[in-house]
Amino acid sequence: MSSASPIQIPSRLPLLLTHEGVLLPGSTMRTSVDSARNLQLVRSRLLKGTSLQSTILGVIPNTPDPASDAQDLPPLHRIGTAALAVQVVGSNWPKPHYTLLVTGLCRFQIVQVLKEKPYPVAHVEQLDRLEEFPSTYKPRAELGELSEQFYKYAVQILDAVSLEERFKMTIPLLVRQIEGLKLLQKTRKHKQDDDKRVIAIRPLRRVTHTPGTLEDEDEDEDNDDIVMLEKKIRASSMPEQAHRVCVKEMKRLKKMPQSMPEYALTRNYLELMVELPWNKSTTDRLDIRAARVLLDNDHYAMEKLKKRVLEYLAVRQLKSSLKGPILCFVGPPGVGKTSVGRSVAKTLGREFHRIALGGVCDQSDIRGHRRTYVGSMPGRIINGLKTVGVNNPVFLLDEVDKLGKSLQGDPAAALLEVLDPEQNHNFTDHYLNVAFDLSQVLFIATANTTATIPAALLDRMEVIPVPGYTQEEKIEIAHRHLIPKQLEHHGLTPLQIQIPQPTTLDIITRYTREAGVRSLDRKLGAICRAVAVKVAEGQRKEAKLECPDTAPEGEGGREHVFKDTEPESISDSPDLALPPEMPILIDFHALKDILGPPMYDMEVSERLSQPGVAIGLAWTPLGGEIMFVEASRMDGEGQLTLTGQLGDVMKESAHLAISWLRSNAKKYHLTNASGSFDLLDNTDIHLHFPAGAVTKDGPSAGVTIVTCLASLFSGRLVRSDVAMTGEITLRGLVLPVGGIKDKVLAAHRAGLKCIVIPQRNEKDLEEIPGHVRQDLSFVRAGRLDDVLNAAFDGGFPVQARPGALDSKL
């Protein structure tokens, strides 16, 4: 047998320190190069070297020590492997590094480290060496016998040339190999059986262990919860599609370890699915007479709204499968839109849930988040159904006109599916990802104005206007609802305080100016608080008068201080020592003492004490308002100045008014300061609309501007009890406008007696309460001649047209 040539490695080797594994002779390994020493080695030896010896490295296993200094050479393992660098791959991102492919050649032993920087170099001694056998060499007896035996078997196999001889030689070798494989397979089978036995024993250990371990108790509770959840899924009456999804998710849940984050998400999803009221509903209370009484007791006035609710009840009584209507109550704040929704639910015997939409700018609030997101949850619709527990509640979508829009989507567009009776029977929340029937839900939306509601969303709702209250209605509401509520909140009784109706009227007219009753409610609360102070002080005085000698010594000074610091009574009674007589009557003097001087005095007659001022009527989301228009003229170049934060439409109305007056100046004997019929000849006109901080727009101020300018150029005063509204044209026609009821109520609150409205708005007067129509006279104007004749005492120079006379309705 011939001997192999020995492998010779250099006696000086650069050392590559690696912590990714141990390289053995004959094996191949990829290793990363990112330390400073290893980078220098690769750049200096591998990238610049050209000889074969420059690609031979010494690979030393190294365990990094975080506590050691990176500048010092770490302790080196004594034995290493000489390797041949087969491949070098480098990159500069995110930082310079290389990847080496090395093949182990032989082992070596470090004799001495020659240098440490820029990379370590050592003097090494080769350990794996295949020596030649010289002719005079005599091997040991055991090695010689084994070598001869190996040589003999190899030569038998080598000499087998024929097929028969090769079969005879290889069959015994195959049989021995098969027996070895069978033995290996048998050993593996025994190992698998042992593993199965261990797995089967584990549940027994959980049962037979000493009870009381917290971890095992938690596992048992989780298993019980999963079993209960599975029973709830089987017992639920959810649709087939939702049931299939739940069964699928339950199978996934059983296979998940409890430590997986998705375990909790899937469990929460299944719990929501079984808690939703798929087929659970309440029975409507369909007694029309009882519903009418209940609505009348809860809310005064609001006849149109209550009529619509009773119509729905009547139709539902005749047809039980009626889909829920989509109602939208539009009106100023404080008129009871939200409370009406709660009363509707009470009347029907349904559950009530309010969803505040003001400021919502994410469509996920309506449709929910997809379960792929962290922290996902269902939308407000599905969450509300889970809260009420039935599928036919009354949902109040509050402030639907204040929805926002952002990068997360448009919630108003998401509501299109919810509020469409033709689509909401198949509403799909992103979190559920299955359809839910919303057709039995009674949706009621509230808004202050329809101007900011998208047209597509507004088209899906039945708009029911809820106008402001009259003074008489506010008085009734105050004495039926507000005063009893405030007395209960402040612990008072009617035997301790009385607020007569004239006092309530003073609060309404002099301390509040609103379409609703919120400010009125706050003023009544302030009165009750002041009376509560007097009642509490009176009870303390009575206690002192009953037992004057029971005070201990040393407290006389304290009683003296109480008397000195005692506040004055509400009615400015001079007797402060005795408690006030009960009940305490709230009159105007007491009102002034509690609430201060009146906030709103009637200033109409004062404002119209000179020419160039007229009263208009405006509509706002807060209700109707009276609006003063003021005009003045001065020498100039014929310019028209408009102030008061006016919109484009109102500016155009001002230009229309001045153009119509200039074209009819001779007819009405209108002249400028120099006596010319050209009203803008050397004359500037300034129109102002107080209050200047409030933005104003709309066409309804046209007739008011014409009247104001006619007063300015004629020098005549406009009647102080007349207000007007209407749009104008260049031909002098008066066109109809909106918001007539709110405007009329605002004029009635201001104490005005005559209102000029467009003739085509006569139909809107039917909505005005009868007692308000009795207090007011209405002029229905078809042309500007009718407006001017009604605005000035004795009419305007041109004789009024027949049929345009004041009429009592």
Side-chain angles (χ1 to χ4, degrees), residues 1 107 155 204 224 452 467 476 594 682 688 768:
M1 181 177 67
R107 291 177 294 171
V155 174
L204 296 178
D224 294 341
T452 56
E476 288 294 330
I594 299 173
N682 297 324
H688 179 62
I768 309 299

Side-chain angles (χ1 to χ4, degrees), residues 28-183:
T28 302
M29 181 179 71
R30 288 188 182 273
T31 180
S32 299
V33 177
D34 49 10
S35 64
R37 291 188 177 90
N38 291 344
L39 288 173
Q40 288 293 337
L41 187 151
V42 172
R43 292 167 181 167
S44 302
R45 296 278 299 188
L46 300 182
L47 300 182
K48 295 183 179 179
T50 57
S51 62
L52 179 62
Q53 289 188 352
S54 64
T55 61
I56 298 177
L57 311 173
V59 180
I60 299 292
N62 174 46
T63 302
D65 186 4
S68 63
D69 190 358
Q71 301 296 330
D72 298 336
L73 184 66
L76 301 178
H77 195 72
R78 189 172 57 88
I79 305 298
T81 303
L84 179 66
V86 179
Q87 187 182 38
V88 182
V89 179
S91 175
N92 289 325
W93 190 89
K95 62 180 181 178
H97 67 280
Y98 297 96
T99 302
L100 297 184
L101 179 63
V102 292
T103 300
L105 300 177
C106 62
R107 291 177 294 171
F108 65 84
Q109 179 180 357
I110 298 177
V111 178
Q112 181 184 3
V113 178
L114 301 179
K115 67 173 184 176
E116 297 183 0
K117 295 181 179 180
Y119 54 87
V121 178
H123 178 65
V124 300
E125 178 184 355
Q126 185 172 347
L127 299 179
D128 297 327
R129 184 184 300 274
L130 296 178
E131 302 178 353
E132 296 185 18
F133 295 108
S135 58
T136 59
Y137 176 74
K138 295 182 179 180
R140 297 191 305 269
E142 298 85 357
L143 186 60
E145 292 177 0
L146 292 174
S147 178
E148 290 179 0
Q149 187 178 1
F150 177 80
Y151 179 77
K152 180 181 177 180
Y153 279 114
V155 174
Q156 282 177 6
I157 296 175
L158 183 64
D159 291 343
V161 177
S162 66
L163 184 60
E164 184 179 358
E165 292 178 350
R166 280 184 283 173
F167 273 126
K168 291 180 180 179
M169 294 294 298
T170 55
I171 286 177
L173 297 176
L174 289 174
V175 171
R176 187 171 61 183
Q177 182 70 17
I178 291 172
E179 292 295 331
L181 292 175
K182 287 182 178 179
L183 180 62

